[in-house]
Amino acid sequence: MNKYLVIGGVRSGKSRYAEQLAQQHALSDGLNVVYVATAEAFDNEMKERICHHKRSRPKHWQTIETGPELVNTLSKIDRQAVILVDCLTVWLNNCLYYDAINWQLEKSQFLKWLETTEHTVIMVTNEVGFSITPDNPLARQFADEQGWLNQGVAALASNVTFTIAGIPHAIKQH
């Protein structure tokens, strides 16, 4: 099946594009969309972001809210579906937030799942490599891990689209 990575900066239109892509695949393949949301509401601003995303997607889509154990959640989706994961960046942030989580293990399990799944999977992620090198160890670790995660996912993806100012640009197509 197809695997898509939609990458861009904050408010670049990546989620909206990924949702359109999921809808197109669902209609053409006769499948349902399973929206896997990785965000956790740690504060009021994040609660509002989550509400905005909930309002923007079709009501008939199944939504699964997951914490840091993304692969465990994905592995439980047994019926054929178009899976939209929004977003890998927030998933990484949550994994680093919870010190007890082994990020390297989570990442390797995710990449293995992605490589072997029969689902059409659309993943949203942020490009964080355009900024300066952060001034503290945790922020540098986050930027490094995000870059490595994006590279690993892009290598497995059949299609990679970069969004900027609401405009999608195909950078890898198969």
Side-chain angles (χ1 to χ4, degrees):
M1 285 297 188
N2 294 312
K3 295 169 179 83
Y4 296 86
L5 179 63
V6 180
I7 188 168
V10 174
R11 297 288 183 239
S12 64
K14 60 192 177 298
S15 291
R16 183 176 61 247
Y17 175 75
E19 290 170 3
Q20 291 168 354
L21 194 58
Q23 186 68 20
Q24 289 170 2
H25 272 280
L27 290 173
S28 68
D29 299 340
L31 298 172
N32 292 320
V33 174
V34 177
Y35 185 103
V36 180
T38 63
E40 293 186 49
F42 293 116
D43 56 39
N44 287 334
E45 188 270 339
M46 195 60 175
K47 285 179 188 171
E48 181 51 39
R49 282 180 180 263
I50 291 169
C51 285
H52 169 78
H53 277 273
K54 284 180 179 179
R55 288 189 302 267
S56 74
R57 61 183 175 258
K59 303 283 183 246
H60 64 277
W61 287 5
Q62 178 187 359
T63 298
I64 301 173
E65 295 180 356
T66 186
E69 285 107 11
L70 177 60
V71 177
N72 187 37
T73 299
L74 292 169
S75 297
K76 292 178 182 174
I77 301 171
D78 54 359
R79 68 181 180 3
Q80 200 58 18
V82 176
I83 299 174
L84 172 53
V85 179
D86 196 356
C87 86
L88 298 179
T89 306
V90 174
W91 171 55
L92 166 62
N93 180 72
N94 291 348
C95 286
L96 294 179
Y97 176 80
Y98 295 106
D99 262 351
I101 293 186
N102 180 337
W103 164 246
Q104 296 304 324
L105 179 61
E106 289 294 323
K107 180 176 81 171
S108 77
Q109 289 175 339
F110 175 72
L111 293 174
K112 182 176 180 168
W113 175 86
L114 182 60
E115 188 172 24
T116 60
T117 187
E118 293 297 318
H119 295 286
T120 293
V121 184
I122 302 163
M123 298 154 287
V124 177
T125 193
N126 284 54
E127 173 54 63
V128 299
F130 289 141
S131 63
I132 61 170
T133 301
D135 68 346
N136 68 77
L138 181 58
R140 285 191 297 275
Q141 178 190 12
F142 174 81
D144 288 348
E145 295 298 342
Q146 185 66 63
W148 291 322
L149 174 63
N150 289 346
Q151 288 179 49
V153 172
L156 296 173
S158 51
N159 295 276
V160 179
T161 303
F162 182 74
T163 59
I164 187 165
I167 302 169
H169 300 273
I171 58 176
K172 179 181 178 183
Q173 291 181 310
H174 285 270

